[in-house]
Amino acid sequence: MLCLIPCICVHLAPDLKQEERLQELESCSGVGSTSDDTEVREVSSRPSTPGLSVVSGISATSEDIPNKIEDLRSECSSDFGGKDSVTSPDGEESGHGTHHLTSPPSQADSLLAMFDPLSSGEGSSTGTIVRPKVHYARPPHPPPDPPIPEASALGQEMRHSLFTPHCLAQAELEHTKQRHSFPDRLVRSRSSDIVCPGRRPTSDPGLNRRVAVEERDPAGAFALGPSSSPSKDSLKGEDRKDSDDEKSDRNRPWWKKRFVSAIPKGKETNHCQDPLPRQSSQAQAAEDILDKYRNIKRPSPSDGALCVEESVHDSPREDTLQNISADDLPDSASQTAQQHDSKFSFSDAKKKLRLALCSADSVALPIMAPATTRNGLPDHMDPEDNEIVCFLKVQLAEAINLQDKNQMAQIQETTRCVSRFDPRTCRKLLAAIAEDYRKRAPYIAYLTRCRQGLQTSQAHLERLLQRVLRDKEVANRYFTTVCVRLLLEHMEAKMLDFIKTFQVCTAADDKTAAVEDFLRYLYGAMARDAIWQYASEDQLQDAQMAIERSVMNRIFKLAFYPNQDGDILRDQLFHEHIQRLSKVVTATHKALQIPEVYLKEAPWPSAQSEIRTINAYKTPRDKVQCILRMCSTIMNLLSLANEDSVPGADDFVPVLVFVLIRANPPCLLSTVQYINNFYASRLSGEECYWWMQFTAAVEFIKTIDDRK
Amino acid sequence: MAAGGAGGNSGRTYSFKVVLLGEGCVGKTSLVLRYCENKFNDKHITTLQASFLTKKLNITGKRVNLAIWDTAGQERFHALGPIYYRDSNGAILVYDITDEDSFQKVKNWVKELRKMLGNEICLCIVGNKIDLDKDRHVSVEEAESYSESVGAKHYHTSAKLNKGIEELFLDLCKRMMETAQAEERLKGNGASQSASSRRGVQIVDDEPQATPAGGCCSSG
């Protein structure tokens, strides 16, 4: 942690001297290598979860200037208090170095070509060698905001910082601000040519990267120790720093949350300025401040863990940073202040244009025939310079039409920025945006995956909820049944009276009326009972069903076989008839002629098993429900078999007959009679229809002759 | 006979049972599916079955709940007819215009229905599959004159092209409402609702002629 301060100081010296300084610092600080190694591993092993990095970026950009300072603070604190990670040279370097080296150089070249006019001067510097290597790490990662066009500008800035050591501390502060808003940055850079490349807005990895370089160059140098060439040094240092920077970036939100309140602002700024005082032998004070930070950090060891986790996720972003830095470093050397300005305006315009684009109605875009193609395609070759302006004018018109003041202001400002560019720059601008867009594709894919995952979880939770609700229903019903039993225990005398009167009845109507009367009486008694005073409508319904069940249970024999032996004998005959039929009747029997398309599900065992249970139910209502279940099972199977059409009665009736013959439920005729006697008046709607089909099927079975 | 049970009530909400009769393969199921779900041979039909469908209508401010009962049309199930059309307010008798035989079946059904239910049931005779008009085997004149002779309304429909189906059901509903209202008037005797009675009266007038015409009873 202490090493960081020296590192920053290193920036003061020109490149060639950097090395030496770093060496010195290294020896002084006595960096522990073990901790570094672990960090390196974390960095290299980071899985690609761009989401996290993006989030941090967003949070950073959306802040106001005051927050930016805090931001910086948090960064510093993370760097210092977070760990000794800063000092890890060897492991990190090796990891990143290999990564970069292995990557192909083609993309870097193309990028360079794209920005040739702007960055040609830079390209000639030492950076050219470095670039290709660094560039390559990028492609696989989805940078939240690819900073291609800005990269060169940044590089330039970087150089500036190196050459202007005296203003470092101030520059640092400024940079923190710049990070958050381009315009701000622009203003600053103009006001003072010496502006150092501070931290960039988090949304611009390139900037961050650069910052990292600044801060950690020394660290990188440590790692390298006495390395041979400055260019190489810078490269390695950068790589390494990228990881660090990344980490700090990552941490920022956390730190902000945790430490904004805890860390006094004044100290923070001091902290940022540390490098300078240190250089001038105020190291002691700085160390004190650092110690304070450490103390703040230490109380919560979990923070360290968090940092690690976050860093693990950072890799994609880090790589982007590296790429950017590659651009930056080499380019920076030969940049002039004016170019610097143009870069700013370029990136600024890009940002604004991006805003305008994302608020545009994508459906309306095709109307702008020429403008649409440019909307993100780098190979767009239309020479007209004001295409973008045209597009923006249409957007502006729409905004005015909608009286969207914010939008109007935004678009007007964007138009102003863009209209100042020549056609070539415009094209470059669009190419840059397109590139950004492409680079974000993996992130979008990641978000899509996340959404899928979340939806899966949601579906799972809904299923769980269904289960719980079902359990609740069953429990409620059982509870109601128990309550009904308690109620009926008090009514035992009445029950016996009712059974006696029921026995006396001979006509079916009388019996039906007797049952209905008694049930009504019981329902009334229940309504008056104290237990049921606050029962809900559903509970009352359940209770009525439970009452009906117990009553019908008591009189079942009498009600089901009103003619006693006569009914039983009739059922037996019919049962035997069906038994004979089941031997000869197949699904393709002449009387059924079930269409071939449905024969694959024959003999519909699930429907058979449904109807076989019918005698387990005692109340007519439950029996009808059982029949309904059988019918819907048959319908389900039929619609499963025939994808081309929905099964109708023509398809259903033969199958129903076949299922009844095969299942051959006992007491079929008595069942029909029982339900007709005690439930027919209550049948309604669909229940009524399926009951009709059932009785029709039973009638039809009577007519089939097994001898034919 | 039994139409009163499901007929209109004072609540101004009518519940009608409409039974679909006709030989197999004339397109009863497609007809009702097109009407209730507006679908025909759709691979993405969510309906599991088309044998019992309901439709809610609002006709001149009165709510109508229509329950449409599909029936097995095969000749071997003809004997189940009485079970099917019991308590029906309306019957839709469907034939295939390319199939002369299916029109004969409709005639049988008409005789049976008039014999069993008299005038209380509103009859619609429907020539389906008019998209296959080039293969027509039942002449329009024959079908329409027969329908008029038995007090039924004749319609030409195509479930495939979704033609004539809305009109068929809407017309049928209006007629069933009129029948139900007439019945109410007869019952209540005091209720005066002479506002909308157009075809209901016709049916009453025509039926005496129709019933004697059908002499034999058709039993499968």
Side-chain angles (χ1 to χ4, degrees):
Chain A
M1 350 198 70
L2 294 179
C3 307
L4 263 187
I5 299 170
C7 298
I8 297 168
C9 302
V10 171
H11 288 284
L12 302 174
D15 274 346
L16 292 175
K17 293 187 179 179
Q18 245 185 359
E19 261 185 61
E20 298 172 8
R21 296 225 175 214
L22 291 174
Q23 268 181 276
E24 282 180 16
L25 290 169
E26 196 185 4
S27 61
C28 292
S29 58
V31 177
S33 61
T34 51
S35 61
D36 300 350
D37 285 347
T38 56
E39 216 230 337
V40 172
R41 254 174 262 137
E42 289 161 10
V43 172
S44 59
S45 66
R46 289 170 190 171
S48 64
T49 49
L52 282 173
S53 63
V54 170
V55 170
S56 67
I58 290 163
S59 67
T61 46
S62 62
E63 285 163 9
D64 332 31
I65 295 173
N67 287 341
K68 288 163 198 163
I69 294 169
E70 286 176 10
D71 219 349
L72 175 63
R73 241 184 268 149
S74 64
E75 263 190 352
C76 293
S77 62
S78 69
D79 288 344
F80 288 84
K83 24 188 101 188
D84 335 271
S85 59
V86 180
T87 53
S88 72
D90 298 338
E92 259 191 13
E93 191 194 340
S94 63
H96 288 283
T98 53
H99 192 37
H100 296 281
L101 288 173
T102 51
S103 52
S106 62
Q107 216 195 3
D109 290 339
S110 66
L111 281 175
L112 283 176
M114 191 180 287
F115 298 106
D116 253 335
L118 292 177
S119 60
S120 60
E122 303 163 6
S124 62
S125 71
T126 55
T128 42
I129 302 165
V130 179
R131 256 191 220 166
K133 295 178 185 176
V134 182
H135 257 302
Y136 291 124
R138 259 191 213 179
H141 306 283
D145 259 325
I148 301 163
E150 296 157 26
S152 56
L154 290 173
Q156 196 186 358
E157 275 186 359
M158 230 311 251
R159 279 296 169 195
H160 272 291
S161 70
L162 289 174
F163 288 117
T164 58
H166 55 278
C167 64
L168 233 187
Q170 193 194 349
E172 280 269 340
L173 276 176
E174 282 181 358
H175 288 306
T176 54
K177 287 181 182 177
Q178 284 172 9
R179 228 180 220 210
H180 301 280
S181 66
F182 274 92
D184 192 12
R185 192 160 131 235
L186 188 65
V187 172
R188 301 248 169 198
S189 65
R190 284 184 182 173
S191 64
S192 62
D193 284 349
I194 22 164
V195 170
C196 301
R199 322 196 163 198
R200 334 183 138 191
T202 5
S203 58
D204 283 348
L207 275 174
N208 288 335
R209 221 259 159 193
R210 226 272 242 86
V211 173
V213 174
E214 250 191 66
E215 279 185 3
R216 289 171 203 159
D217 253 358
F222 284 149
L224 294 172
S227 62
S228 54
S229 72
S231 66
K232 197 183 175 186
D233 261 1
S234 63
L235 171 65
K236 292 184 178 181
E238 270 185 46
D239 292 348
R240 213 194 123 260
K241 279 158 207 163
D242 283 344
S243 64
D244 282 4
D245 186 30
E246 264 261 77
K247 203 181 55 178
S248 67
D249 258 351
R250 282 263 94 196
N251 293 338
R252 198 180 307 138
W254 291 98
W255 292 113
K256 259 184 251 159
K257 283 176 199 158
R258 303 196 179 218
F259 292 106
V260 164
S261 57
I263 301 171
K265 289 203 175 189
K267 282 182 182 178
E268 276 303 330
T269 48
N270 283 343
H271 183 63
C272 298
Q273 290 166 345
D274 270 289
L276 194 58
R278 230 223 154 158
Q279 195 72 11
S280 54
S281 82
Q282 289 181 358
Q284 195 55 46
E287 278 214 18
D288 287 346
I289 291 164
L290 283 178
D291 277 342
K292 280 182 185 172
Y293 280 112
R294 269 184 226 143
N295 289 336
I296 291 167
K297 272 207 135 186
R298 276 167 195 164
S300 60
S302 62
D303 285 348
L306 282 173
C307 299
V308 173
E309 282 179 25
E310 286 179 20
S311 66
V312 168
H313 296 285
D314 271 1
S315 64
R317 211 221 175 149
E318 183 190 11
D319 283 326
T320 56
L321 291 179
Q322 286 167 1
N323 287 338
I324 293 158
S325 69
D327 278 343
D328 295 347
L329 259 187
D331 296 342
S332 60
S334 60
Q335 280 286 334
T336 67
Q338 284 170 349
Q339 276 173 327
H340 192 99
D341 274 355
S342 73
K343 294 276 176 189
F344 270 135
S345 61
F346 183 81
S347 56
D348 182 47
K350 193 186 94 174
K351 196 192 80 178
K352 286 170 180 167
L353 183 59
R354 192 166 56 214
L355 260 177
L357 280 174
C358 64
S359 55
D361 180 10
S362 60
V363 178
L365 289 182
I367 297 168
M368 312 270 314
T372 29
T373 51
R374 67 180 30 234
N375 185 21
L377 295 185
D379 52 353
H380 180 71
M381 283 307 169
D382 199 332
E384 290 176 41
D385 65 332
N386 51 358
E387 257 180 322
I388 303 179
V389 177
C390 275
F391 167 76
L392 288 173
K393 277 177 183 161
V394 171
Q395 294 303 314
L396 181 62
E398 192 180 344
I400 290 171
N401 188 35
L402 297 175
Q403 282 297 301
D404 186 344
K405 303 286 185 196
N406 293 337
Q407 187 89 352
M408 279 157 64
Q410 239 175 44
I411 293 174
Q412 270 162 345
E413 170 59 18
T414 312
T415 316
R416 191 183 63 84
C417 291
V418 173
S419 58
R420 281 188 316 206
F421 291 143
D422 57 21
R424 193 171 183 189
T425 319
C426 278
R427 228 176 301 137
K428 234 174 289 157
L429 188 65
L430 290 171
I433 289 179
E435 186 66 14
D436 287 5
Y437 184 75
R438 264 202 302 280
K439 293 229 163 111
R440 260 180 244 121
Y443 175 59
I444 291 168
Y446 163 77
L447 285 181
T448 310
R449 282 198 307 279
C450 284
R451 188 169 173 79
Q452 282 169 344
L454 287 174
Q455 279 174 333
T456 312
S457 315
Q458 194 185 7
H460 176 63
L461 289 175
E462 276 164 10
R463 175 57 60 91
L464 287 182
L465 187 65
Q466 275 177 7
R467 281 185 211 161
V468 170
L469 288 176
R470 177 65 193 154
D471 284 354
K472 181 188 159 203
E473 199 182 309
V474 170
N476 270 345
R477 207 162 275 171
Y478 183 71
F479 175 71
T480 310
T481 311
V482 172
C483 290
V484 165
R485 203 186 302 149
L486 287 175
L487 176 75
L488 292 182
E489 274 172 14
H490 300 295
M491 321 276 291
E492 188 56 28
K494 292 278 181 193
M495 180 73 89
L496 291 174
D497 283 350
F498 162 72
I499 292 172
K500 258 180 212 153
T501 52
F502 188 81
Q503 269 172 323
V504 176
C505 292
T506 48
D509 311 7
D510 293 346
K511 289 182 181 176
T512 309
V515 171
E516 279 173 7
D517 285 348
F518 186 60
L519 286 179
R520 251 198 305 276
Y521 166 77
L522 287 180
Y523 297 160
M526 178 179 74
R528 286 187 300 276
D529 195 89
I531 295 178
W532 301 95
Q533 289 309 307
Y534 298 101
S536 70
E537 197 56 39
D538 286 347
Q539 285 171 325
L540 284 177
Q541 290 245 318
D542 285 347
Q544 292 189 354
M545 255 151 65
I547 289 174
E548 189 188 345
R549 248 175 229 141
S550 26
V551 171
M552 294 317 277
N553 253 330
R554 301 291 290 268
I555 59 164
F556 183 73
K557 285 267 179 204
L558 295 170
F560 196 73
Y561 297 117
N563 307 311
Q564 297 299 311
D565 289 348
D567 287 336
I568 294 171
L569 197 65
R570 183 188 58 177
D571 284 343
Q572 219 166 358
L573 280 175
F574 193 59
H575 189 79
E576 284 162 12
H577 169 66
I578 294 178
Q579 220 161 18
R580 281 196 304 277
L581 284 179
S582 67
K583 283 177 192 147
V584 295
V585 171
T586 60
T588 52
H589 187 266
K590 176 175 68 71
L592 302 180
Q593 295 173 27
I594 296 169
E596 192 157 344
V597 66
Y598 299 119
L599 288 181
K600 274 171 286 187
E601 281 75 26
W604 302 275
S606 51
Q608 287 188 37
S609 59
E610 280 288 355
I611 195 61
R612 280 201 189 100
T613 63
I614 192 169
N615 283 318
Y617 302 101
K618 298 302 181 199
T619 65
R621 186 206 304 270
D622 291 341
K623 282 179 188 288
V624 168
Q625 290 302 317
C626 175
I627 290 164
L628 246 61
R629 280 198 300 276
M630 173 193 61
C631 291
S632 70
T633 306
I634 292 174
M635 273 304 188
N636 273 314
L637 291 173
L638 291 184
S639 65
L640 189 75
N642 193 349
E643 287 178 349
D644 294 335
S645 71
V646 180
D650 287 344
D651 314 305
F652 169 76
V653 174
V655 176
L656 174 63
V657 171
F658 179 81
V659 166
L660 284 180
I661 289 174
R662 276 301 166 92
N664 195 8
C667 325
L668 211 46
L669 295 179
S670 292
T671 302
V672 173
Q673 174 184 275
Y674 178 61
I675 293 169
N676 275 335
N677 282 347
F678 293 100
Y679 199 65
S681 59
R682 283 181 281 170
L683 282 170
S684 66
E686 193 159 3
E687 220 178 27
C688 195
Y689 177 77
W690 296 113
W691 171 246
M692 179 276 288
Q693 290 288 17
F694 180 78
T695 52
V698 172
E699 285 303 309
F700 185 70
I701 290 172
K702 285 184 191 168
T703 67
I704 305 177
D705 192 340
D706 58 281
R707 282 158 298 186
K708 284 180 187 168
Chain B
M1 289 177 140
N9 299 314
S10 56
R12 292 302 98 185
T13 299
Y14 294 90
S15 294
F16 293 129
K17 170 183 166 183
V18 175
V19 66
L20 277 172
L21 297 170
E23 206 184 357
C25 306
V26 297
K28 297 189 298 289
T29 308
S30 305
L31 208 65
V32 71
L33 202 62
R34 173 63 92 178
Y35 179 60
C36 294
E37 312 265 322
N38 195 20
K39 280 172 181 162
F40 181 83
N41 264 4
D42 195 330
K43 300 252 187 229
H44 306 289
I45 290 176
T46 49
T47 328
L48 279 177
Q49 49 91 9
S51 43
F52 178 84
L53 291 171
T54 57
K55 181 100 172 172
K56 286 188 168 134
L57 297 169
N58 197 325
I59 296 173
T60 62
K62 282 153 192 148
R63 276 176 297 176
V64 176
N65 291 334
L66 210 56
I68 303 162
W69 292 34
D70 192 13
T71 64
Q74 296 94 324
E75 179 57 36
R76 53 189 177 278
F77 298 117
H78 189 93
L80 304 178
I83 301 177
Y84 288 153
Y85 55 70
R86 188 170 54 202
D87 295 343
S88 294
N89 302 90
I92 296 175
L93 307 159
V94 190
Y95 70 92
D96 180 350
I97 62 164
T98 67
D99 183 359
E100 170 71 35
D101 208 32
S102 68
F103 187 60
Q104 286 307 317
K105 288 276 153 46
V106 166
K107 287 181 177 175
N108 290 344
W109 278 118
V110 170
K111 285 174 202 161
E112 186 176 338
L113 284 169
R114 284 297 182 218
K115 184 174 160 223
M116 305 296 289
L117 300 182
N119 297 330
E120 287 167 13
I121 187 164
C122 297
L123 298 187
C124 293
I125 296 177
V126 176
N128 195 26
K129 305 193 188 178
I130 56 167
D131 48 297
L132 304 174
D133 199 60
K134 58 182 193 307
D135 297 327
R136 176 184 279 278
H137 284 98
V138 180
S139 76
V140 180
E141 297 77 29
E142 185 194 353
E144 284 182 348
S145 64
Y146 173 77
S147 300
E148 207 177 332
S149 73
V150 296
K153 266 279 261 174
H154 187 272
Y155 303 87
H156 276 116
T157 62
S158 166
K160 189 176 183 181
L161 305 177
N162 195 10
K163 273 189 184 168
I165 296 173
E166 283 287 337
E167 298 89 315
L168 157 69
F169 280 95
L170 195 66
D171 239 20
L172 176 63
C173 283
K174 284 179 183 164
R175 285 165 56 201
M176 287 191 297
M177 282 169 70
E178 283 160 16
T179 310
Q181 283 164 0
E183 206 172 289
E184 270 172 41
R185 252 173 292 157
L186 279 179
K187 271 189 205 161
N189 220 11
S192 61
Q193 289 187 356
S194 57
S196 62
S197 59
R198 297 178 305 172
R199 274 169 215 135
V201 181
Q202 272 185 339
I203 295 172
V204 176
D205 287 345
D206 288 350
E207 261 135 32
Q209 302 161 0
T211 314
C216 71
C217 119
S218 58
S219 64

